[in-house]
Amino acid sequence: MEIDYSIQKKQAFRSESLAIYSLASDQRFSYSCYFPSYFSPANRPEILVVIHDNSRNFSDLLSGFSSYSEKNNMIIIAPIFPIGIGNDGFGVGFNYLAFDGIKYDEVLLDIIDEVSSLSGSLIVDFSIFGLFGGGQFVHRFLYFHGRRVKSAVIASPEYISFLDNNTAKGLEATTIEYEVGKEIDFEGIKVPKILLLAGEYDDYEIPAPKNYAEKRCEEPQRKLVKKSILMKLCADFRADGISAEVIEVKHAFHDSGKMIASAIDFFKVTDNN
């Protein structure tokens, strides 16, 4: 007798535990979720996706956004991109959307569609938050899938693909488009509202690249401090008509708690408009 594991997933979605689920379309990948305690598809919940950093801190992110979920009828989805798939021994391939033949942006969309379907919510658009390495993922994700995103927070990333007059610097447009397998949607990036977060003490120079993925970014970027990089990215966004702002988070360095608090303040405004 064949077991329908989707039924077990549906039941687990209703529990309070932060279980880890394998993705049906590709079981190399998994995800975890937080559902508000009063969850019902009839309440028309929304989705917030939280992208972990390179240490895979997904549980911290789910816990950090749990009160926001309860107060705002929000399903929190945390994809988990394991270290060591293919040749990604450093575990940073997901930062760049595509690595060693894996399209991490498509993996995320599959996860969102699976949770939406199994929960009976059938949600198309969503908000997204990315911290450190997750922030690298999010800003590149917007270049291709901005039309599905309501609002986005990019928190303290390091290596950035800049946009300037509809060209991608850092990762050249032709390179990133080739590797991801689709064209950058420059009009789509204008759809979501975007917040860039930089810690007050996040002012150290970007270190020399440790691996192949980081070496693909342009060399002058190594001489910039992290706050300077986000200021430049925000200026480039605005020059191209993209809705973006940058906030310096007081008394913060690599502080996920303070970054999450600032992101929640932003989402409270953008997701309720």
Side-chain angles (χ1 to χ4, degrees), residues 102-129:
I102 298 170
K103 306 295 176 63
Y104 288 93
D105 59 328
E106 295 180 3
V107 172
L108 173 58
L109 293 176
D110 283 350
I111 290 172
I112 294 169
D113 290 345
E114 178 170 300
V115 174
S116 176
S117 176
L118 292 177
S119 66
S121 303
L122 302 179
I123 302 167
V124 175
D125 57 0
F126 52 90
S127 296
I128 190 167
F129 169 86

Side-chain angles (χ1 to χ4, degrees), residues 57-261:
N57 65 335
F58 71 93
S59 59
D60 293 339
L61 298 182
L62 289 172
S63 297
F65 282 100
S66 60
S67 62
Y68 179 68
S69 167
E70 294 289 345
K71 295 176 182 178
N72 294 274
N73 192 31
M74 191 78 63
I75 301 171
I76 313 295
I77 300 176
I80 304 169
F81 302 126
I83 296 173
I85 293 181
N87 293 315
D88 186 20
F90 289 96
V92 300
F94 77 96
N95 296 177
Y96 299 90
L97 297 193
F99 190 84
D100 198 25
I102 298 170
K103 306 295 176 63
Y104 288 93
D105 59 328
E106 295 180 3
V107 172
L108 173 58
L109 293 176
D110 283 350
I111 290 172
I112 294 169
D113 290 345
E114 178 170 300
V115 174
S116 176
S117 176
L118 292 177
S119 66
S121 303
L122 302 179
I123 302 167
V124 175
D125 57 0
F126 52 90
S127 296
I128 190 167
F129 169 86
L131 181 68
F132 312 144
Q136 294 190 56
F137 175 97
V138 169
H139 89 278
R140 296 183 178 104
F141 183 85
L142 295 177
Y143 293 171
F144 299 95
H145 305 285
R147 295 178 193 270
R148 288 195 61 177
V149 178
K150 295 174 58 179
S151 54
V153 176
I154 301 165
S156 196
E158 290 185 342
Y159 301 97
I160 297 296
S161 298
F162 291 103
L163 290 179
D164 185 11
N165 298 321
N166 288 354
T167 61
K169 293 183 178 179
L171 295 177
E172 295 295 336
T174 52
T175 301
I176 192 171
E177 287 177 341
Y178 173 78
E179 294 185 351
V180 175
K182 53 181 72 72
E183 294 183 357
I184 295 174
D185 183 358
F186 291 101
E187 290 303 310
I189 309 169
K190 299 176 182 178
V191 173
K193 292 181 173 61
I194 302 171
L195 174 65
L196 310 174
L197 294 178
E200 179 181 6
Y201 306 129
D202 231 356
D203 57 358
Y204 66 91
E205 291 186 2
I206 298 299
K210 301 184 298 294
N211 54 67
Y212 165 73
E214 291 175 357
K215 287 178 181 178
R216 297 184 302 179
C217 290
E218 62 182 346
E219 187 64 28
Q221 192 176 146
R222 317 260 186 260
K223 300 176 182 179
L224 294 174
V225 298
K226 293 184 72 174
K227 285 194 294 186
S228 299
I229 286 178
L230 286 177
M231 297 293 183
K232 174 172 170 48
L233 181 61
C234 186
D236 285 358
F237 277 171
R238 289 176 174 174
D240 283 332
I242 299 166
S243 176
E245 62 177 309
V246 61
I247 292 178
E248 182 180 283
V249 182
K250 297 299 182 183
H251 311 298
F253 180 54
H254 261 39
D255 190 322
S256 60
K258 291 184 175 69
M259 296 290 180
I260 289 171

